[in-house]
Amino acid sequence: MSRHNEITPKTIDEYIAMQPEAFRPALHELRSIIRSLAPQAIESISYQVPCFKHHYMLVGIGVNRNFSSLYTMSPPLVKKMKDDLKGVKLSGATIHFSPGVPLPVALIEKIVRARIQENEVKAMSKK
């Protein structure tokens, strides 16, 4: 469970350190996968959760009382990937999973790559 009301983290490291031990490995893994695919992404805390920005917000990570979360920040992507996401707990554009049952790395990579592409297309269309 996040302790947002006590202290608002200023960095992703602070955010992860504030979480219960059971959630930290998943957060470290998500961050590592995102950084490996989007090394140019800027890390920030937005809406009290760790976010990664590449042109625009790319994805976010976080926890609630029961689950770790990957915020895809793209309802259209979630719709497009509905077959890939069968059996995955979804809430809008957010994917939830239990700390001991991580998301498949290939699924995370597919989501992050798709979000990078969406953001790059959007950035190019604005030029």
Side-chain angles (χ1 to χ4, degrees), residues 27-94:
L27 292 170
H28 283 298
E29 182 183 28
L30 284 168
R31 183 188 197 185
S32 173
I33 293 166
I34 295 162
R35 301 283 324 148
S36 73
L37 296 170
Q40 73 286 9
I42 297 165
E43 294 186 346
S44 67
I45 300 291
S46 184
Y47 299 101
Q48 297 180 317
V49 297
C51 292
F52 301 84
K53 184 177 179 181
H54 173 62
H55 297 294
Y56 308 96
M57 283 301 180
L58 189 62
V59 293
I61 61 176
V63 302
N64 64 28
R65 188 178 312 263
N66 301 310
F67 298 103
S68 297
S69 301
L70 174 63
Y71 304 98
T72 69
M73 300 184 179
S74 176
L77 177 64
V78 171
K79 280 192 185 87
K80 199 168 20 176
M81 289 185 65
K82 70 179 188 302
D83 291 341
D84 296 286
L85 296 170
K86 270 194 175 71
V88 174
K89 183 173 173 46
L90 287 171
S91 173
T94 302

Side-chain angles (χ1 to χ4, degrees), residues 55-56 117-127:
H55 297 294
Y56 308 96
Q117 188 174 14
E118 283 181 354
N119 283 2
E120 288 179 348
V121 166
K122 185 176 173 184
M124 289 310 213
S125 73
K126 302 245 180 191
K127 286 188 176 168

